[in-house]
Amino acid sequence: MTYQTKSKIFVRDDGEAGLQVFSPYTGLFYNIPAEDRTEVLEWLDGHRTTVSQCYLDSIGLLWKTTFAKVAEQSLIHVPTSTNISIDRLLVINWLITGKCTHKCPYCYAQDMRELDSCIKTEADVDRMVSIVLSYSPLAVVISGGEPLLHPFFRSIIEKLHGKTGIIVDTNGILLTEEHIQFLKENDVVVRISVDSLIEKNDRITRQTCERKRQPDNLSAVLKAVELCIRKELTLVIHTVVTAANKNDLLSMGEKLYCVGVHVWKLMQLVDIKTNEAKRLTVSYQSSEHFSRLIKRSVNAMWQDRMRVIIQENNPRSLNATVLVSPDGRFLTQAVSGNKKIPLDPSYPNMPREEEIRKRLDLWEHRKRYMGE
């Protein structure tokens, strides 16, 4: 069972697979080998004041220590042996609405736009939260569409608070100071999507649903980013690497570092079968090249303040994500293409765990979030 420790960090004991950890201070996931679980749990619950240095430098980041103090060390997730079985979900991505202010050409949720939300009353919120929590996820990602558009957005957050880690994915356009205060009070990590800091390049991938693009979209998002930093809300900048922004990444990383962003996640564009998305796709080899450039900058300049996560979507990888669609179905998505697959065709709204294990590569699922 997932629970929140005294330190506000979420943990789940998976037996021989070790202790799974999610930090709301960074939005990062860790795995603790089984032999160290007692030491780490006692530390997170305030029953001991010291812990092995590797855990202080990883789980303790932005809670007990700063990036600068561990700048010379490798800021990696604690590794674990592959000789163990993985049989539990780590993260559930809950798309609470298909409605959005944008129509990004690479969006993996394009086929969710017309779906009606299954949440129309507070009773519906209680029911869906109960179902999602029944799988004891270490964290739930509240996504869409644009989740801030859902009328029960706050209620969903409040009912998840304290029971699992919470991450909210947003394009930042609608994010206000009032939202930020609410999210901070509920220990939420916010991931804002920013693909480029250059207006003309941002315009290529960040297309609004309105026929005429609002000229201040990018500036509005950047104001939201600055406000999150100023209010000390845990923030992750999420960037999809495309042909439109691949040459901007180093300068973008430098600017994010300078304004105080602590975590920057870059993701290779998933192979979505639309003509517009194909034009934006970067080859796997080209993506690896830019990954190396970014990693070099991390080691040389940024590691004292910013953690960079590079998620390389290997086209040979198997299904690794769990999606809950706006209408309440549990799905997974192939790495290549936009096809969604029911996790349990017989019980799509409450899949059996044995059926989930048949259709989901749980090792790939784990690697996706822990970066092992």
Side-chain angles (χ1 to χ4, degrees):
M1 180 67 68
T2 296
Y3 81 95
Q4 190 175 31
T5 61
K6 187 177 179 181
S7 64
K8 292 194 173 183
I9 288 174
F10 287 88
V11 298
R12 190 182 72 195
D13 191 342
D14 283 0
E16 68 168 1
L19 189 71
Q20 317 308 314
V21 177
F22 171 73
S23 171
Y25 300 101
T26 59
L28 301 179
F29 297 83
Y30 303 91
N31 172 261
I32 312 303
E35 60 268 22
D36 292 342
R37 68 159 63 89
T38 300
E39 173 192 1
V40 172
L41 272 176
E42 289 179 352
W43 176 57
L44 293 176
D45 271 325
H47 301 309
R48 67 158 64 203
T49 57
T50 61
V51 72
S52 299
Q53 192 68 35
C54 67
Y55 299 126
L56 180 63
D57 292 345
S58 53
I59 304 171
L61 201 56
L62 301 181
W63 169 51
K64 286 292 188 181
T65 190
T66 65
F67 277 89
K69 289 184 179 179
V70 294
E72 299 304 317
Q73 301 182 42
S74 177
L75 300 179
I76 61 172
H77 303 280
V78 181
T80 188
S81 169
T82 57
N83 298 321
I84 57 175
S85 62
I86 303 296
D87 60 3
R88 304 181 72 187
L89 298 176
L90 200 65
V91 176
I92 292 177
N93 295 272
W94 185 2
L95 287 66
I96 61 174
T97 180
K99 293 180 170 56
C100 193
T101 56
H102 286 60
K103 50 178 182 179
C104 302
Y106 57 65
C107 180
Y108 72 94
Q110 290 178 11
D111 52 349
M112 304 288 178
R113 286 183 178 276
E114 305 305 319
L115 295 180
D116 289 332
S117 173
C118 63
I119 296 176
K120 302 185 187 306
T121 66
E122 284 291 342
D124 293 334
V125 175
D126 291 336
R127 175 179 54 81
M128 281 304 302
V129 166
S130 177
I131 291 172
V132 169
L133 291 178
S134 70
Y135 297 94
S136 193
L138 191 60
V140 173
V141 178
I142 301 299
S143 185
E146 172 51 57
L148 292 176
L149 288 172
H150 198 290
F152 288 95
F153 170 75
R154 286 175 176 254
S155 180
I156 291 168
I157 296 294
E158 288 170 342
K159 287 180 167 64
L160 289 172
H161 178 230
K163 302 178 181 70
T164 184
I166 307 172
I167 300 171
V168 168
D169 279 345
T170 174
N171 59 38
I173 292 291
L174 303 177
L175 203 57
T176 65
E177 187 167 355
E178 185 180 358
H179 285 129
I180 290 169
Q181 184 60 37
F182 168 76
L183 295 170
K184 186 174 180 180
E185 290 171 357
N186 285 276
D187 305 317
V188 174
V189 175
V190 171
R191 290 198 306 216
I192 297 181
S193 297
V194 183
D195 284 349
S196 178
L197 300 181
I198 299 173
E199 174 68 25
K200 67 176 182 178
N201 293 340
D202 174 71
R203 190 180 300 122
I204 294 172
T205 55
R206 297 292 168 181
Q207 301 172 12
T208 61
C209 292
E210 298 176 9
R211 183 169 297 179
K212 184 177 179 182
R213 179 181 171 81
Q214 298 296 321
D216 61 348
N217 265 355
L218 180 58
S219 61
V221 174
L222 296 181
K223 284 179 182 177
V225 169
E226 292 171 2
L227 188 58
C228 288
I229 293 170
R230 193 163 69 247
K231 296 294 183 179
E232 298 183 330
L233 175 67
T234 301
L235 171 69
V236 175
I237 297 298
H238 186 281
T239 299
V240 178
V241 179
T242 69
N245 69 0
K246 65 180 183 180
N247 294 318
D248 309 338
L249 296 179
L250 287 177
S251 61
M252 180 175 175
E254 184 63 23
K255 290 174 183 175
L256 294 177
Y257 168 86
C258 289
V259 300
V261 170
H262 288 307
V263 182
W264 182 28
K265 182 178 180 181
L266 296 104
M267 181 181 294
Q268 182 188 11
L269 177 58
V270 174
D271 181 19
I272 296 175
K273 307 298 185 182
T274 65
N275 290 333
E276 197 167 5
K278 285 179 181 178
R279 287 194 293 270
L280 293 171
T281 302
V282 178
S283 71
Y284 188 61
Q285 292 73 20
S286 180
S287 179
E288 284 188 317
H289 167 70
F290 286 103
S291 294
R292 286 193 295 271
L293 290 179
I294 293 294
K295 288 173 182 176
R296 208 173 297 153
S297 293
V298 172
N299 293 332
M301 300 180 291
W302 303 337
Q303 65 173 344
D304 66 325
R305 273 210 312 271
M306 187 165 72
R307 173 80 160 92
V308 180
I309 302 165
I310 300 175
Q311 185 173 306
E312 298 172 349
N313 286 323
N314 189 327
R316 294 180 295 276
S317 297
L318 300 176
N319 304 328
T321 58
V322 176
L323 311 175
V324 181
S325 64
D327 59 4
R329 290 174 298 144
F330 280 68
L331 310 166
T332 188
Q333 178 179 351
V335 171
S336 179
N338 201 27
K339 183 180 179 182
K340 308 296 192 302
I341 303 166
L343 284 171
D344 187 344
S346 298
Y347 296 91
N349 294 75
M350 194 180 292
R352 294 162 291 181
E353 294 193 17
E354 61 270 22
E355 293 298 314
I356 293 175
R357 288 191 286 270
K358 287 180 185 178
R359 293 172 177 83
L360 195 73
D361 186 323
L362 287 169
W363 264 108
E364 287 295 330
H365 173 75
R366 180 190 179 93
K367 285 165 63 179
R368 181 180 182 89
Y369 300 104
M370 291 197 170
E372 296 169 1

